[in-house]
Amino acid sequence: MSVTQSILNKIPKSGRRKIKVRRNYQYAGYLYILPWLIGLLIFQLYPFISSLYYSFTDYNMVSAPKWVGLDNYHKIFTEDPDFYQSLKVTGIYVLLAVPVKLAFALFVAMLLSAKLKAINFFRTVYYLPSILGGSVAISVLWRFLFMKEGVVNSLLARLHLGPVDWLGSPDIALYTLGLLTVWQFGSSMVLFLAGIQQIPNDLYEAGSIDGASRFSMFFRITVPMLTPIVLFNLVMQMVNAFQEFTGAFVITHGGPMKSTYLYALKLYEEAFTFFKMGYASALSWILFLIIMAVTAVIFKSSGGWVHYEDGGK
């Protein structure tokens, strides 16, 4: 007789029934999450591991992969000028779009935290861009808005201002593309709004008694209390910005003069235009390592600027 069986024999029958019921509940739980586990293994874990293997091969999706070792990585760093161009453009895009998006989301969250009539309606309206903004249809609409004869230039003409080549000028095309990302501020705004509503009113009352202005209380109370949410939003939006693809593909196709040639667009072209899947897999792993490195730096630096309610950092 095993040790487990001897222990079970010492348990009363009522206790054994409870143990069996708990086991049944556990099996039912595993059954409920089985579709998610299958999806994780097939659509996430398997592609993740296989892409690492393909990054060391010459693979065109037609013939069998041929092992080439580090050749793909060597060509990327030594023979591909478009790699550095796409990396530069993506870096500028991240540095421009993410801070502006978070600042605008916080500004709108402060406005929507006011106790006004129909405030829930306005909160819903301001969140809608995040639902629609990433779609191809919205990207097409954005292109028509900012084309030379688009709505934006028509409004400028009514103000007796000259037209601006929003998408045709290498100097401003990337900024125009970044506006689409900033417009999708809803998810960050909702988190900021939830954080603002959790800040105790006692802090603001104490600040008012001390004679602090609203501007001073914003930077001395609101912002420090929101730093954990700022950290989360910063990491999430940074990761999304590094992988931005739809806008550059639909609106500008990487032009003009590759001023909007984002990294994800280059990766797509290498994989599905030139059918260099092994090369594209190597590019994807470089992007993964870059994102991991930037995320690590953000978390490392957070100890100096993220504050928690218990006084920790």
Side-chain angles (χ1 to χ4, degrees):
M1 181 181 298
S2 64
V3 176
T4 304
Q5 188 64 38
S6 62
I7 294 174
L8 289 175
N9 291 336
K10 296 179 181 179
I11 299 175
K13 292 184 178 180
S14 58
R16 296 179 193 175
R17 294 194 190 98
K18 291 181 180 180
I19 293 175
K20 290 181 179 180
V21 170
R22 289 176 184 174
R23 287 180 177 176
N24 291 334
Y25 278 125
Q26 289 178 352
Y27 295 145
Y30 292 139
L31 184 62
Y32 277 115
I33 67 172
L34 184 60
W36 178 85
L37 287 175
I38 294 175
L40 174 67
L41 294 174
I42 297 178
F43 299 110
Q44 292 185 7
L45 188 59
Y46 173 74
F48 183 80
I49 297 175
S50 61
S51 68
L52 179 61
Y53 166 72
Y54 289 139
S55 69
F56 298 103
T57 65
D58 180 10
Y59 181 43
N60 58 9
M61 296 188 295
V62 177
S63 58
K66 180 182 178 182
W67 183 266
V68 294
L70 295 174
D71 283 0
N72 288 329
Y73 293 94
H74 181 267
K75 290 179 182 178
I76 289 173
F77 288 108
T78 61
E79 302 177 13
D80 191 350
D82 288 342
F83 165 74
Y84 292 101
Q85 174 65 16
S86 64
L87 203 59
K88 174 186 173 182
V89 171
T90 304
I92 296 173
Y93 179 83
V94 172
L95 292 175
L96 289 175
V98 174
V100 176
K101 183 177 184 178
L102 295 184
F104 190 64
L106 179 57
F107 172 74
V108 175
M110 291 295 296
L111 295 178
L112 296 180
S113 64
K115 297 180 180 179
L116 301 173
K117 291 184 179 179
I119 192 65
N120 290 331
F121 169 77
F122 290 106
R123 290 171 180 172
T124 303
V125 170
Y126 276 100
Y127 184 72
L128 286 178
S130 289
I131 301 176
L132 305 173
S135 65
V136 174
I138 295 299
S139 297
V140 173
L141 177 61
W142 206 259
R143 184 175 63 186
F144 279 105
L145 285 174
F146 287 95
M147 62 191 303
K148 286 186 177 180
E149 298 81 16
V151 176
V152 175
N153 279 336
S154 298
L155 294 175
L156 292 177
R158 291 179 177 272
L159 299 174
H160 304 287
L161 297 175
V164 178
D165 195 4
W166 299 100
L167 301 175
S169 172
D171 296 328
I172 61 175
L174 188 62
Y175 298 92
T176 306
L177 201 64
L179 288 176
L180 179 59
T181 297
V182 175
W183 185 65
Q184 305 167 46
F185 64 91
S187 59
S188 298
M189 180 267 295
V190 168
L191 293 174
F192 280 134
L193 181 59
I196 292 171
Q197 292 176 337
Q198 295 299 317
I199 299 176
N201 289 327
D202 297 344
L203 298 177
Y204 295 107
E205 293 176 358
S208 299
I209 294 173
D210 291 339
S213 63
R214 289 188 176 182
F215 183 81
S216 178
M217 287 191 289
F218 173 76
F219 285 100
R220 293 180 178 272
I221 298 176
T222 305
V223 173
M225 294 294 289
L226 290 177
T227 48
I229 299 177
V230 172
L231 174 62
F232 177 81
N233 279 334
L234 177 62
V235 172
M236 296 303 297
Q237 298 305 324
M238 179 273 298
V239 172
N240 291 334
F242 266 112
Q243 301 177 81
E244 175 60 32
F245 167 76
T246 305
F249 179 74
V250 176
I251 300 174
T252 62
H253 303 288
M257 298 175 61
K258 294 192 175 181
S259 60
T260 61
Y261 193 59
L262 295 179
Y263 195 97
L265 181 59
K266 174 175 175 54
L267 199 156
Y268 170 84
E269 288 184 347
E270 295 291 348
F272 300 106
T273 301
F274 306 118
F275 298 102
K276 297 162 62 177
M277 187 59 67
Y279 195 81
S281 297
L283 287 170
S284 68
W285 271 91
I286 293 174
L287 179 61
F288 172 74
L289 294 177
I290 291 173
I291 293 175
M292 291 294 293
V294 175
T295 303
V297 171
I298 293 175
F299 274 105
K300 186 68 176 179
S301 67
S302 65
W305 58 272
V306 177
H307 307 277
Y308 298 95
E309 292 186 19
D310 58 0
K313 291 186 176 183

